[in-house]
Amino acid sequence: MNVVADGGNKKTSRVRVAVRLRPYMDKQDEKGEGPCVRGLDSQNLEIINWRNATETVKYHFDVFHGEQTTQQQVFLSSVKPILPHILTGQNASVFAYGPTGAGKTHTMLGSSEKPGVIPRAVQEVFNLVKAKDEDEGWDYNIDMSYMEIYNEKVLDLLSPSAQDLPIREDKDKNIFIPGLTRTTISSFSDFDKHFVPASLNRTTASTKLNQRSSRSHAILLIKVVRTERSLPHRQQTGKLYLVDLAGSEDNRRTGNRGIRLKESGAINLSLFTLSKVVDSLNSGTAIRVPYRDSKLTRLLQDSLGGSAHSVMITNIAPEYKYYFDTFSALNFAAKSKLIVNKPFTRETVAVPVLPVKRTREDQEAGGSGNEPQKKKQKEERKSEQDGSSPSAHFHSLSEPSVMDRLIALEKLMMSCQDKDRITMLKDVAQSRKEIQELKEKQREFESKALLLSRLAREKSSTKEEAVFKNNTAPLQRKQSNPTKPNKQQAVVQPLQVSQLQPLQQLAVCKKQSVCVKKKEKKLSDQVEPPDGKENAENDWEFQLETSVLELSRQKILQVLNSGSLKELKGLQQIGDKKAKLILGWREIHGHFTKLEDLLKVEGMTAKRFSSFMKANILSAMGK
Ligand code: ADP
Ligand code: MG
């Protein structure tokens, strides 16, 4: 039975939200790009505003743990204080949220040198019980259960043969799982003895080790049952859930490698529902907290909100490649906190680091639309302002369709409470993926261009030089970068500079893709180190009229996007298997925006793509 906390007059208690930023994993990256997010003090952090690189978005949390924070500090500030409650029949939960690679497992489990929350909490529970033993008339019994939620199924990790366990509620509204193994533990080493092999069960249960562990929720339950020694032998049960959540990134991001729809949907459902639950609890306005909408929240129902003590540690990473995952993780975490979100003041952004000229109106607007977390009422007014200017200046910065979509998504995100949020988060992740891919391509082009121009020089072949000159476009990025931060003026400089790079790269990529011939040339360049033979082989495109070529490409794209299985198989070099993979890709990602998206389909190497293009374009033209 739970004792009602907070003086007994509170129906629900807030979920405390901590954010932990992990250090860079690679010192090179740190030097190279600088972080996209950083702490300001023990409660605030800022992240570069993707809508305007001269601004950052600030967030306020219960606690911010910077990259130097030790495991011990995280434990002391976020976890230790709630533990005494479970000895008095109250429930508690600690869960680590965030994208894969941001440090959830490090935070929860840690390593033998740097033990995380789980070992420390278990040790502390034993300490607390030990300290109690003598003076009060209670006997304490501690047991553990360890489970995993994968694909909306509850699996018992202490007894791996138990699959898909049901979740039930007793008449006192306690949640329990009939059939779940409960192992009594009498010491920390006892715990370790059971926990370690069970953890192995988790990861060895699947051949796709990493994928599975990043898509499942690992839930350790420590139960403290205390029984009064004298009559009437009252009994109280306190539960502590320690949860390493599934990665919050959009699982479809890896979908181009064949992820099953059901799986990604299920994981999103649990995390999505968790976000709704946390939202409802923390806003205090929800009439109904939607615990029942997913297994995870149903399981945590009596230990999240209500009289329970809950802490969410949102893990984030500093690298740019995590930007959108970080952004959405922060929004999830902060939404429940009514974010404090201020634009940088004019003085701090005075240095013109953007390669685009901002119009006077833009500047006067003082970074319009950099407040993604404002409340609904303000939002409506703002979105009108935002309608033109940010997209206008981002157009010149980057690939328009991606940025437009981000802007639209952000607006929606701000105005929509939760209903469509999952779709939007997915779309944000998708856009992020596109940006990442463009960046990667760009990088490839850059290195290729360097190599080739060197080669070209060696051969002093004028033709090649002309072709590859275009490939060196990204180097412009470097030319525009000398707008080095002026340390005296700009507090946010390191963030600004790094933001420029991806955006500029995008702009460059887009321009290239407009030129069909050159784009194709480059694509074929990606296949193999281009030598004379390779180039000659790909010259077929150069003999075609651009407009005719474009028309053929459109035709193929149309078949890819709307063709039936049969029609897909009608394409050159597309057999039954490929056609099905294309259909599957379409189901997950919507549609192919360009033919090059085919490269994301499983098994479609650049070489195959190149050959596919050649065969189909020639076929479309009747050659
Ligand atoms: P997740 O569980 O969120 O996927 P991990 O905990 O596996 O992420 O972290 C990814 C990598 O980063 C691991 O190598 C981990 O040891 C390291 N790491 C994470 N957080 C920290 C930290 N605070 N300090 C040092 N290394 C960390
Ligand atoms: Mg992990």
Side-chain angles (χ1 to χ4, degrees), residues 170-189:
D170 69 13
K171 61 176 175 19
D172 295 322
K173 303 223 174 292
N174 294 310
I175 304 291
F176 68 102
I177 298 180
L180 181 71
T181 309
R182 285 174 62 173
T183 304
T184 300
I185 45 174
S186 52
S187 65
F188 181 79
S189 64

Side-chain angles (χ1 to χ4, degrees), residues 359-400:
T359 61
R360 230 175 97 89
E361 296 92 282
D362 280 344
Q363 285 168 9
E364 313 262 82
S368 59
N370 59 340
E371 307 183 354
Q373 270 63 54
K374 274 272 158 96
K375 295 250 88 174
K376 240 181 186 172
Q377 315 91 286
K378 290 188 182 168
E379 163 52 22
E380 272 163 27
R381 219 182 43 227
K382 267 174 55 49
S383 47
E384 281 164 26
Q385 290 176 3
D386 289 355
S388 57
S389 68
S391 54
H393 65 247
F394 266 94
H395 262 256
S396 50
L397 275 175
S398 63
E399 213 268 5

Side-chain angles (χ1 to χ4, degrees), residues 187-200:
S187 65
F188 181 79
S189 64
D190 214 8
F191 161 79
D192 222 26
K193 200 172 73 194
H194 295 102
F195 182 73
V196 172
S199 302
L200 293 177

